[in-house]
Amino acid sequence: SIDDASMKIRKLELPKMPDADLIEAIKWNLRDIVDGDVDDFTVNYSRIEEVEDGDVTRLKILAYAIKKQAVIDYRTKIESLGLSSFYIEPASVTLASTLERCQQNEEGYMAGVHIGSHQTLFYVVGNGIFVFSRPMIGINLEAWEKDKEGFFQKLAIEIQKSIDTFKVNFKMEDIRALHLSGGGALLEGIVDYLNTNLGISTNSLDPFITLSNADVTDDVKPELFVQAIGLAYL
């Protein structure tokens, strides 16, 4: 589950076409927002929906690109441990994979906030589809260490900004629930604070709840395994 500063994610609407042609069309549409030559990036997408427009079928997709060198560097680190990588996905995709499966009976749109040591990711799933992702710049556990008193307020403000951006760009309804993961989800009082100050049902995400063979002991913190379980689901 890879996270890199070169990652770019955008919602696109394109005519339906063969997959190989669609990848090329995505590259063309992302060429102005990636840092450098788009051919230096690995490109993929998640399908949101198909829309009939007269005689043309259009695809609404969530496209993402990451530098090929970043993937190579990640594989090199894995290999230095004597391991081999056979499946690599962007962090936001693996997180969304877990949230969608853990809340598959829920209607409407749900958001996740993964609070890590260096970066926090906000992402949205709805109707079984990954539809939105946004990094929260400057919000992470390192920032919490430097300003423990003001961190929760800054986090709440960034979450609200992310929700507003999602609603404006996607013209969709409110977020029904907020699910926290990562080391930041273990901070004392964080769930109650966000429940009170955002007015959104907030809880910690337990990725093990849909696994019938999971034998989780009391010393295991489920919030720390969301990305790993997401890769297993994929």
Side-chain angles (χ1 to χ4, degrees):
S1 181
I2 187 171
D3 190 21
D4 187 77
S6 68
M7 173 72 71
K8 301 295 182 183
I9 300 180
R10 290 292 183 273
K11 179 189 174 188
L12 298 175
E13 185 171 332
L14 299 168
K16 188 175 182 179
M17 62 186 79
D19 193 65
D21 294 336
L22 184 59
I23 291 295
E24 291 302 314
I26 291 171
K27 286 183 178 180
W28 176 260
N29 280 272
L30 296 183
R31 71 192 189 284
D32 293 331
I33 65 170
V34 298
D35 183 17
D37 189 341
V38 71
D39 288 331
D40 294 334
F41 286 73
T42 295
V43 173
N44 213 324
Y45 68 94
S46 295
R47 188 184 301 249
I48 299 176
E49 65 176 332
E50 292 188 12
V51 179
E52 298 295 333
D53 184 11
D55 296 331
V56 178
T57 300
R58 302 187 66 81
L59 295 176
K60 291 185 178 180
I61 63 174
L62 198 65
Y64 43 91
I66 187 170
K67 275 192 174 180
K68 293 177 181 178
Q69 189 60 50
V71 178
I72 293 172
D73 292 344
Y74 197 76
R75 283 178 169 163
T76 301
K77 290 180 181 179
I78 296 297
E79 291 168 359
S80 70
L81 299 173
L83 303 171
S84 61
S85 58
F86 67 94
Y87 204 91
I88 298 178
E89 283 286 347
S92 54
V93 175
T94 59
L95 291 166
S97 170
T98 302
L99 179 57
E100 189 275 320
R101 284 163 178 79
C102 289
Q103 305 296 324
Q104 56 187 327
N105 294 324
E106 296 289 332
E107 296 182 355
Y109 292 90
M110 298 163 291
V113 179
H114 187 80
I115 308 168
S117 58
H118 302 296
Q119 179 166 288
T120 293
L121 284 173
F122 174 92
Y123 58 99
V124 179
V125 300
N127 302 318
I129 300 168
F130 168 44
V131 295
F132 182 75
S133 177
R134 175 180 183 263
M136 295 184 178
I137 306 301
I139 302 294
N140 50 48
L141 288 177
E142 291 179 344
W144 173 76
E145 288 284 357
K146 296 176 182 177
D147 182 18
K148 294 181 179 180
E149 291 187 2
F151 180 77
F152 283 5
Q153 181 181 18
K154 292 177 181 177
L155 173 63
I157 291 172
E158 281 300 313
I159 292 174
Q160 188 61 61
K161 285 182 180 179
S162 299
I163 292 173
D164 292 343
T165 301
F166 165 73
K167 290 170 63 177
V168 169
N169 289 346
F170 285 75
K171 297 179 175 61
M172 294 180 180
E173 65 253 35
D174 288 338
I175 300 295
R176 289 178 53 107
L178 189 65
H179 302 271
L180 307 182
S181 60
L186 303 176
L187 296 177
E188 185 176 356
I190 190 169
V191 172
D192 290 340
Y193 183 91
L194 295 177
N195 257 316
T196 301
N197 289 273
L198 290 177
I200 300 174
S201 176
T202 303
N203 57 66
S204 293
L205 181 58
D206 180 358
F208 298 113
I209 60 174
T210 58
L211 301 180
S212 60
N213 62 341
D215 184 14
V216 182
T217 58
D218 292 340
D219 61 335
V220 171
K221 306 299 182 185
E223 298 88 346
L224 302 180
F225 292 87
V226 172
Q227 291 193 60
I229 298 299
L231 281 174
Y233 281 135
L234 289 169

